[in-house]
Amino acid sequence: QDTVTLPSLLRLSLPHHFVAMFEESIYALIPPVVHATARQDMYKSKFPTNVAPTATTFGLLGTSAPGVKNVGGQMGAIEGAHRMRKTHATFGKEAEAPKPLMRTSTAFGATGEVGKTFQRATVVAPKPVLPSKAEFSEATMRVAAAQSAAKKNFVQANAIENILSAPKREEGPIDWKKKADFGKVPIYLKNIKREITEEHEYIRAMQEAQAAAAPAGMRLMDEDEKLSLIFDLKTKWDAVNKEYQKHSTLSLASLDTIGKVKRKEAFEAQLAQIEKDIEKLSKPVLWVHSPE
C-alpha cells in the first residue's frame, strides 16, 4: 500500500508552474508569465472635507454655538457672523504651535531663562586628602632609613663589627656535682609523693567512716583481703576449667552415659558459681560477718 505524504499532496494540488519554482522540473524550462497587477486609484470621499459632520460637537466648547453643529446635514460650508470653530481644534497639523510654557525659577541648576534646557553642572574631582602629622613623620622616617641603607657599606660595617667583637670562648665540660641541687630530690617528685600520700589518707578516712557506719556484727572487708580472695578464686577457676577440658564431655556424641552427662553438668555449675563469687568480690564496698 502506497503512503501519501504532505509534500506529495501539495505537489498534486498546486499548478505546474508553482511546482517548477521550488524544485527541478521540466516545466521550469520555460519561465512562467508574471502578470502585473494594476494599481487602483486612490479613494476620494464624495463628501467635502471642509464641512463638519452632521450634529458634531467637536471644537465647539467655549464658542457661541449651542453645542452641536450642522444639524441639517448641509454639504456646503455654512458660517454665520461668528466663526464657530477654534483655530487649533483640528485632527491634523496645528495651525499655530503653542508657545513653550516654562516658569522662571531660581532653583539649583536653573538658568532663569525661558526655553533653555537644564544642564547639570560639571562635578570637579576633589583633591586628595592631606596626610596627618603622624603619617607624615612615619613616611619621613621610612625615606631617611631607605636613604641611609642605600649609602651604607655593608662590607666595611661587617669587618668593623667582627674586629671589635670579643672572641667566643668554648665552654668546658660541665661538672654536675658542683650544681646547687645535686643529690637533692627534684621538686616534681616531691609533689607526686605528696599527692600519693594525700590520696592514701583520703582512702583510709573513707574506710574508717564506712567501718564506723557498719551494721551490727558486720565489718568492711579490707582491699588486700578482697584482692587475695579474688586471686584464689581465679586460680581455682583455672584448675576446674582444666579438668573440664581434659574430660571428653564437650561434644554431644561423647555423652553416651549418664555419668558423663552428670560430670559435665557438675563442672559447669562449679565454674558458674566461681564466676558469681568473683563478681560479688569485685564490688567497691563489701560487708562481711565479724567474728567478734
Side-chain angles (χ1 to χ4, degrees):
Q1 184 179 358
D2 297 336
T3 303
V4 179
T5 58
L6 182 61
S8 61
L9 291 175
L10 293 174
R11 190 180 296 106
L12 293 174
S13 60
L14 294 174
H16 297 295
H17 61 277
F18 282 102
V19 176
M21 292 174 62
F22 295 100
E23 63 181 6
E24 186 177 359
S25 175
I26 192 172
Y27 298 102
L29 298 176
I30 301 174
V33 179
V34 180
H35 299 280
T37 305
R39 186 175 181 181
Q40 298 181 358
D41 297 336
M42 186 177 62
Y43 173 78
K44 292 184 180 180
S45 177
K46 62 180 180 179
F47 300 99
T49 58
N50 58 348
V51 177
T54 304
T56 181
T57 60
F58 180 75
L60 300 178
L61 184 63
T63 63
S64 60
V68 293
K69 187 178 180 182
N70 197 8
V71 179
Q74 289 84 354
M75 298 291 291
I78 301 175
E79 294 289 346
H82 301 282
R83 183 178 179 84
M84 295 183 296
R85 184 172 65 85
K86 295 181 180 180
T87 57
H88 60 275
T90 174
F91 285 110
K93 187 177 180 181
E94 296 180 354
E96 294 182 7
K99 296 181 179 180
L101 303 177
M102 292 186 63
R103 297 179 179 179
T104 59
S105 175
T106 58
F108 176 76
T111 58
E113 299 179 2
V114 178
K116 289 190 177 181
T117 57
F118 171 75
Q119 293 182 357
R120 187 178 298 277
T122 305
V123 180
V124 181
K127 295 182 179 179
V129 182
L130 295 176
S132 61
K133 188 179 294 184
E135 294 176 351
F136 178 75
S137 60
E138 183 179 358
T140 304
M141 292 174 62
R142 286 201 301 267
V143 171
Q147 291 177 356
S148 61
K151 297 178 181 179
K152 183 178 180 180
N153 189 351
F154 291 95
V155 177
Q156 184 179 1
N158 291 336
I160 295 173
E161 184 178 358
N162 292 328
I163 292 171
L164 298 179
S165 61
K168 295 183 179 180
R169 296 181 180 180
E170 296 182 0
E171 297 181 357
I174 300 175
D175 190 2
W176 300 104
K177 296 181 179 180
K178 294 182 179 180
K179 294 190 68 174
D181 54 352
F182 177 77
K184 297 181 180 179
V185 180
I187 298 177
Y188 73 93
L189 290 179
K190 293 181 179 179
N191 296 334
I192 294 174
K193 187 176 180 180
R194 185 182 67 255
E195 292 176 0
I196 293 174
T197 305
E198 292 176 356
E199 186 175 357
H200 287 171
E201 292 291 337
Y202 177 72
I203 293 173
R204 189 176 63 209
M206 288 182 59
Q207 291 177 353
E208 292 177 356
Q210 290 176 356
M218 304 291 289
R219 66 176 180 84
L220 184 65
M221 182 179 286
D222 191 11
E223 191 70 23
D224 296 336
E225 183 181 0
K226 187 190 303 183
L227 294 176
S228 177
L229 290 175
I230 292 174
F231 178 76
D232 295 340
L233 288 174
K234 288 183 178 180
T235 305
K236 185 178 181 180
W237 187 91
D238 292 337
V240 174
N241 187 42
K242 186 176 181 181
E243 293 292 330
Y244 178 64
Q245 299 289 339
K246 187 185 297 183
H247 294 80
S248 302
T249 56
L250 296 179
S251 61
L252 296 177
S254 62
L255 300 176
D256 51 357
T257 61
I258 297 177
K260 290 182 179 181
V261 175
K262 289 185 177 181
R263 191 180 300 111
K264 177 177 181 297
E265 292 177 355
F267 280 134
E268 291 177 352
Q270 191 175 1
L271 292 173
Q273 184 62 37
I274 293 173
E275 291 175 358
K276 288 183 180 179
D277 295 340
I278 293 174
E279 185 179 359
K280 287 182 180 179
L281 291 173
S282 299
K283 294 181 179 179
V285 180
L286 193 63
W287 300 101
V288 294
H289 289 283
S290 177
E292 299 178 359

